[in-house]
């Protein structure tokens, strides 16, 4: 589990640090980071993560439009401050395994990830 | 989860986003049809919302949420951003910023419920109007509220936060590391050579090798100093980024149309200079807006690298300075006699006229400066420039009665030291911190006089005392009455190598960073002073030169 590679995509370095900290607390240690949708695409190909935590609202390329593509290559969990049902439904229809709304509880993040990874 | 360790990252990220919000909304004012700016504005608010909610700063989160909604609606075309809404948005940015600095200082955010509600209502009202196609024209004249807001903002912005952190490029830190390593090697070399001096067999060769080793040391120390000064450089951007907002608000308040052009904000200067530069530039900008530009015009701020200094040019195309009126005001303020004034009006001696413009007595009279076109705070600007050994050049009018150009020549780096300011009789003096061992109180019974010289016993050791009023007899006012104290005296222990001496002072004033200015040529033969510095209040203070002071002691 510790070497499960997780790609964290968020334009905020603060958010990435917080997420990483939560995951480290749950025993994960293998992280790759991305700042926008393009980053997410490139790093999914070059790093082959098992799981992608994806923000939606980011500069240049956002998250929503690439879920379909990314979910072919890895499990995708959306983590976004956008909480509307339409957004959740759209993301899931595009192939997201789950959807976490910011602000989140630590346990919620860890449980969702473990569930999606089948742990 | 303990989020406190993320606080710094949160603050710096939100700071950046708030600056982006300001920049982008200013840009949107100029090009309202640009949809991509609205996207950026929405994204920045959204990021602040998410991060703030994660940190449980709920007021910040709510406020950025309502801002995000406004930008989202504007993006979709369901809300028109009127001037009134624009002002409220800026108001919102300021509230975020204030709350953020409260978080920085006290760890607690500010309550912004009222403002959030207000903006929310504003948004829904206007949305309804647009949706129901009620073409209500929003008033363009500033309302009472926006006036208050402008006032608050401008007051706040008269001071720009001191720069407390600098970003240092990695390669500069690497250079410093390299030098440090070389210094360590050099230190070991000198240590082993000096150990070799003791043994007569190795003494001679050690002595010969010592010279190049010490030369290397001095080169390394110079390198170190250079690199540290480089690391202190910060881009002018840090203060320039404030000005578009400031000029916009001031111009709007006076119903003027002013374009601000900024060039060279990437240029780097010493942190201390950049810190001090904000106030003077604000003075010059305010002058240009209040007195220079009448209805519509352009102000430009241009920073440029010259050979070994930076020029900062602040220029406007408003009405130029009316020098005759400056002279008249100077006569009215009793700065010069009317004969001198008449003479100056004929000779048009530029130096003479500028001197009047910078005279603090001229700038205290509000209505006088109002008609002279310039003046408020100019003496403060000049004082700043002198403090950092720079120069100020005025050209006005630039052509046919219009346009004013202030050119500030600023040194690239400064010789800055930490010093202790002390009072000795009627004089304030600065003692370089690097030479100070500590300060002590000495009881009268522990002071002995041997062959005309005073010695104090400090922790069992005899320390020669230096009384500055005796060393520099001419510097001090003649004493009417001997200020003979019975209680303990304050002594600053200074050392150089193994020599220790105590400087007797009357009062310890402050510890602060000072900028060393060399003594003028005419005074350079005077022993005992390393230079002078100008304090924040404009007083010139001499800096003690411990090398010559200590040799004064041993010479006796």
């Amino acid at each position: 589990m510790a070497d499960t590679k997780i790609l964290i995509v968020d334009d905020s370095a603060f958010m990435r640090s917080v997420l990483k900290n939560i995951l480290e607390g749950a025993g994960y240690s293998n992280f790759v980071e991305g700042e926008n949708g393009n980053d997410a695409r490139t790093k999914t190909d070059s790093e082959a993560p098992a799981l992608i935590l994806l923000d939606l609202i980011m500069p240049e390329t956002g998250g929503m439009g690439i879920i379909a593509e990314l979910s072919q290559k890895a499990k995708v969990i959306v983590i976004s401050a956008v909480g509307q049902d339409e957004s959740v439904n759209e993301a899931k229809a595009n192939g997201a395994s789950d959807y976490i709304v910011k602000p989140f509880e630590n346990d919620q993040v860890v449980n969702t990830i473990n569930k999606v990874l089948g742990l | 989860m303990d989020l406190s360790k993320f606080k710094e990252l949160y603050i710096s990220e939100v700071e950046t986003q708030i600056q982006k919000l300001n920049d982008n909304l200013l840009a949107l004012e100029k090009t309202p049809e640009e949809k991509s700016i609205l996207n950026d504005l929405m994204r920045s608010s959204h990021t602040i919302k998410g991060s703030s909610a994660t940190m449980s700063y709920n007021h910040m989160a709510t406020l950025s949420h309502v801002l995000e909604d406004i930008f989202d609606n504007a993006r979709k075309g369901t809300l028109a951003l009127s001037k009134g809404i624009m002002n409220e948005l800026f108001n919102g940015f300021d509230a975020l910023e204030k709350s953020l600095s409260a978080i920085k200082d006290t760890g607690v955010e500010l309550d912004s419920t009222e403002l959030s509600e207000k903006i929310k209502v504003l948004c829904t009202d206007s949305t309804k109007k647009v949706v129901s196609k009620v073409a209500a024209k929003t008033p363009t004249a500033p309302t009472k509220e926006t006036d208050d807001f402008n006032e608050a903002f401008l007051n706040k912005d008269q001071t720009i936060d001191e720069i407390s952190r600098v970003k240092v490029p990695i390669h500069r830190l690497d250079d410093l590391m390299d030098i440090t390593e070389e210094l360590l090697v050099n230190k070991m070399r000198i240590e082993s050579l000096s150990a070799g001096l003791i043994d007569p067999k190795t003494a001679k060769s050690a002595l010969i090798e010592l010279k190049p080793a010490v030369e290397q040391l001095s080169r390394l120390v110079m390198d170190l100093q250079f690199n540290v000064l480089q690391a202190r450089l910060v881009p002018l951007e840090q203060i320039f980024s404030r000005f578009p907002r400031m000029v916009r608000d001031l111009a709007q308040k006076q119903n003027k149309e002013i374009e601000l052009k900024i060039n060279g904000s990437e240029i780097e200067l010493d942190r201390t200079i950049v810190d001090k530069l904000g106030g003077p530039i604000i003075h010059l900008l305010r002058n240009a807006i209040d007195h220079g530009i009448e209805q519509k015009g352009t102000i430009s701020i241009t920073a440029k690298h010259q050979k070994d200094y930076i020029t900062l040019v602040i220029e406007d195309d408003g009405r130029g300075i009316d020098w005759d009126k400056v002279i008249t005001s100077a006569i009215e303020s009793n700065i010069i006699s009317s004969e001198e004034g008449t003479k100056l009006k004929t000779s048009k001696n530029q130096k003479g006229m500028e001197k009047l413009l910078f005279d603090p007595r001229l700038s205290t009279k509000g209505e006088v400066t109002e008609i002279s076109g310039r003046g408020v705070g100019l003496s403060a600007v000049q004082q700043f420039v002198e403090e950092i050994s720079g120069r100020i050049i005025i050209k006005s009018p630039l052509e046919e009665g219009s346009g004013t150009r202030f050119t500030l020549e600023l040194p690239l780096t400064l010789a800055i030291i930490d010093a202790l300011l002390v009072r000795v009789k009627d004089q304030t003096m600065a003692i370089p911190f690097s030479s100070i061992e500590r300060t002590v109180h000495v009881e009268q019974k522990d002071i002995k006089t041997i062959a005309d010289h005073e010695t104090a016993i400090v922790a069992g050791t005899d320390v020669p005392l230096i009384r500055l009023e005796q060393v520099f007899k001419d510097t001090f006012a003649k004493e009417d009455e001997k200020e003979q104290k019975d209680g303990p005296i304050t002594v600053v222990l200074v050392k150089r190598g193994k020599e220790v001496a105590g400087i007797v002072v009357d009062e310890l004033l402050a510890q602060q960073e000072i900028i060393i200015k060399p003594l003028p040529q005419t005074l350079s033969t005077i022993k005992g002073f390393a230079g002078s510095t100008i304090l924040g209040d404009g007083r010139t203070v001499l800096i003690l030169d411990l090398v010559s002071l200590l040799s004064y002691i041993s010479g006796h």
Side-chain angles (χ1 to χ4, degrees):
Chain A
M1 157 174 160
D3 50 5
T4 307
K5 195 184 262 186
I6 301 178
L7 170 60
I8 305 173
V9 188
D10 198 309
D11 56 328
S12 157
F14 162 78
M15 283 311 312
R16 294 198 304 270
S17 297
V18 171
L19 282 171
K20 236 163 54 175
N21 191 258
I22 294 174
L23 295 182
E24 275 165 0
Y28 293 93
S29 60
N30 196 353
F31 306 110
V32 188
E33 295 181 41
E35 290 181 12
N36 55 45
N38 277 338
D39 248 11
R41 274 202 192 109
T42 333
K43 284 178 178 151
T44 301
D45 290 339
S46 65
E47 301 282 341
L51 175 71
I52 304 167
L53 302 182
L54 186 66
D55 185 21
L56 293 184
I57 312 255
M58 293 180 289
E60 287 148 52
T61 318
M64 189 60 90
I66 56 170
I67 296 176
E69 181 191 332
L70 298 186
S71 60
Q72 304 288 316
K73 298 164 184 167
K75 301 268 186 203
V76 175
I77 299 176
V78 171
I79 301 190
S80 168
V82 182
Q84 281 90 338
D85 286 344
E86 308 96 80
S87 177
V88 178
N89 294 337
E90 188 185 347
K92 287 190 174 163
N94 285 346
S97 303
D98 218 321
Y99 195 110
I100 299 170
V101 181
K102 294 179 198 167
F104 40 68
E105 295 292 326
N106 290 5
D107 291 349
Q108 185 196 358
V109 175
V110 175
N111 292 339
T112 309
I113 290 174
N114 288 344
K115 189 187 78 194
V116 167
L117 289 174
L119 296 168
Chain B
M1 178 173 50
D2 176 23
L3 285 163
S4 58
K5 60 180 162 185
F6 299 110
K7 201 173 121 185
E8 283 217 8
L9 188 55
Y10 166 80
I11 289 171
S12 81
E13 206 165 275
V14 175
E15 254 170 16
T16 313
Q17 295 295 349
I18 295 174
Q19 184 64 50
K20 271 193 199 163
L21 286 173
N22 270 306
D23 291 347
N24 278 322
L25 197 57
L26 285 170
L28 190 71
E29 262 188 337
K30 284 185 185 150
T31 50
E33 65 285 352
E34 195 65 62
K35 278 275 176 307
S36 70
I37 302 178
L38 279 168
N39 285 334
D40 286 344
L41 283 163
M42 199 202 89
R43 209 159 37 225
S44 291
S45 327
H46 181 84
T47 304
I48 297 175
K49 178 182 80 176
S51 302
S52 300
T54 304
M55 288 296 284
S56 302
Y57 295 131
N58 296 326
H59 286 290
M60 294 275 293
T62 310
L63 182 52
S64 41
H65 187 133
V66 296
L67 292 173
E68 183 190 349
D69 279 349
I70 288 206
F71 295 129
D72 196 26
N73 284 318
R75 198 170 62 135
K76 291 177 189 150
T78 54
L79 172 70
L81 296 183
S82 66
K83 214 163 197 176
I85 295 183
M86 285 283 205
N87 280 341
E88 285 306 337
L89 291 173
F90 277 123
N91 213 350
F93 300 166
D94 291 344
L96 286 176
E97 196 174 355
K98 271 191 201 137
S99 196
L100 191 69
S101 55
I103 290 171
K104 213 192 301 187
D105 296 340
T106 66
V108 183
E109 63 172 340
L110 302 178
D111 187 335
S112 53
T113 318
E114 219 174 294
L115 184 63
S116 297
E117 287 300 322
K118 194 172 160 192
I119 296 179
K120 203 171 170 181
V121 170
L122 202 82
C123 172
T124 27
D125 282 0
S126 310
T127 319
K128 274 184 213 141
K129 279 181 202 159
V130 172
V131 172
S132 60
K133 300 265 193 268
V134 178
K137 227 182 170 186
T138 25
T140 42
T143 60
K144 176 78 186 65
E145 263 163 275
T146 53
D147 259 10
D148 286 351
F149 143 64
N150 279 332
E151 210 54 65
F153 173 75
L154 290 172
N155 289 341
K156 176 198 88 178
D157 225 42
Q158 291 306 302
T159 55
I160 290 180
D161 280 352
E162 215 174 78
I163 300 164
S164 54
R165 250 177 274 161
V166 291
K167 278 185 190 159
V168 182
I170 291 286
H171 74 89
R172 279 187 185 153
L173 284 180
D174 288 345
D175 289 350
L176 282 171
M177 195 61 217
D178 289 347
I179 296 171
T180 311
E181 276 164 16
E182 279 188 68
L183 271 170
L184 281 172
V185 175
N186 180 267
K187 169 190 158 250
M188 288 190 289
R189 172 117 191 93
I190 291 178
E191 271 171 358
S192 91
L193 288 173
S194 61
L197 285 173
I198 299 166
D199 188 342
K201 275 184 263 173
T202 52
K204 197 177 170 199
S205 66
L207 208 52
I208 292 166
E209 282 178 59
L210 201 54
K211 193 168 177 251
V214 171
E215 278 168 2
Q216 193 199 8
L217 174 67
S218 92
R219 185 180 56 77
L220 285 172
V221 170
M222 261 173 56
D223 280 357
L224 184 65
Q225 192 183 16
F226 172 80
N227 276 285
V228 170
L229 287 175
Q230 292 292 308
R232 291 174 54 95
L233 295 180
V234 292
L236 285 166
E237 166 74 29
Q238 294 213 13
I239 50 168
F240 281 9
S241 59
R242 288 286 194 163
F243 298 144
R245 253 309 284 285
M246 198 196 88
V247 171
R248 170 204 177 267
D249 291 348
L250 272 173
Q252 200 186 51
K253 201 177 160 201
Q254 303 180 15
N255 277 316
K256 293 180 182 177
E257 225 178 282
I258 298 175
E259 194 189 346
L260 177 70
K261 290 180 179 161
I262 296 180
N263 289 305
S265 46
E266 74 287 352
I267 285 178
E268 295 182 320
L269 271 172
D270 192 280
R271 176 185 64 85
T272 313
I273 301 180
V274 175
D275 261 348
K276 289 172 188 271
L277 202 53
I281 300 180
I282 290 173
H283 274 303
L284 294 174
L285 286 176
R286 282 207 78 144
N287 270 326
I289 297 165
D290 293 348
H291 311 304
I293 293 170
E294 281 159 305
Q295 266 314 310
K296 193 175 169 182
T298 307
I299 303 176
S300 65
I301 307 177
T302 310
K304 254 195 201 136
H305 246 294
Q306 308 294 343
K307 196 161 157 259
D308 48 4
Y309 57 94
I310 301 275
T311 55
L312 193 67
V313 179
I314 292 139
E315 191 175 315
D316 69 75
D317 57 3
R319 82 185 127 151
I321 298 174
D322 186 336
W323 293 102
D324 277 355
K325 281 188 180 153
V326 172
I327 296 169
T328 312
S329 315
I331 299 170
E332 281 164 9
S333 321
N334 291 323
I335 301 169
I336 50 169
S337 66
S338 48
E339 294 87 66
E340 285 173 302
T342 320
K343 229 189 260 173
L344 203 52
K345 276 186 188 173
T346 354
S347 70
K348 295 255 174 268
N349 179 309
Q350 190 64 26
K351 278 253 154 58
M353 295 192 298
E354 281 175 17
K355 211 174 140 201
L356 297 179
L357 196 62
F358 287 127
D359 196 300
R361 287 169 291 178
L362 184 79
S363 31
T364 50
K365 300 217 164 182
E367 78 282 2
V368 174
T369 56
E370 193 66 43
I371 46 161
S372 70
R374 284 297 185 281
V376 182
L378 276 183
S379 63
V381 176
Q382 193 190 29
Q383 192 199 315
F384 152 75
V385 172
E386 276 177 4
E387 201 178 309
I388 58 162
S389 305
R391 220 154 68 96
I392 183 164
I393 301 155
I394 312 173
K395 190 158 167 46
S396 180
L398 295 171
E399 53 187 80
E400 284 306 298
S402 76
T404 300
R405 180 190 300 142
F406 283 91
T407 306
L408 310 186
E409 285 182 4
L410 311 168
L412 275 172
T413 53
L414 297 170
I416 296 163
I417 57 164
D418 239 336
L420 181 69
L421 296 180
V422 298
R423 181 179 68 83
V424 181
K425 300 285 176 283
D426 59 328
Q427 296 278 324
T428 302
M429 299 201 167
I431 306 174
F433 229 72
S434 55
S435 334
I436 298 176
E437 183 132 288
R438 63 199 161 106
T439 56
V440 289
H441 288 294
V442 177
E443 298 291 342
Q444 292 290 343
K445 66 173 173 55
D446 290 330
I447 301 174
K448 298 179 291 185
T449 307
I450 307 162
D452 254 10
H453 284 281
E454 284 181 298
T455 310
I457 303 168
V458 179
T461 326
D462 282 351
V463 175
L465 291 182
I466 302 176
R467 289 197 184 260
L468 294 171
E469 66 270 31
Q470 287 170 13
V471 182
F472 310 113
K473 290 194 186 74
D474 300 335
T475 314
F476 291 87
K478 292 279 174 284
E479 285 172 75
D480 297 333
E481 48 186 301
K482 267 255 185 299
E483 199 182 318
Q484 200 65 50
K485 283 199 291 183
D486 297 330
I489 57 167
T490 308
V491 174
V492 180
L493 292 183
V494 293
K495 63 161 184 188
R496 180 175 168 261
K498 281 183 178 158
E499 272 180 282
V500 178
I503 298 174
V504 182
V505 302
D506 290 317
E507 200 183 339
L508 302 172
L509 297 174
Q511 174 199 347
Q512 68 180 66
E513 277 188 341
I514 57 171
I515 301 162
I516 305 181
K517 295 177 60 146
L519 288 175
Q521 199 67 45
T522 45
L523 297 178
S524 60
T525 51
I526 300 177
K527 291 258 180 318
F529 298 114
S532 67
T533 190
I534 299 176
L535 299 181
D537 60 8
R539 272 185 304 153
T540 301
V541 164
L542 289 164
I543 305 164
L544 293 177
D545 172 20
L546 275 312
V547 177
S548 61
L549 269 182
L550 287 166
S551 62
Y552 170 87
I553 294 280
S554 41
H556 272 70

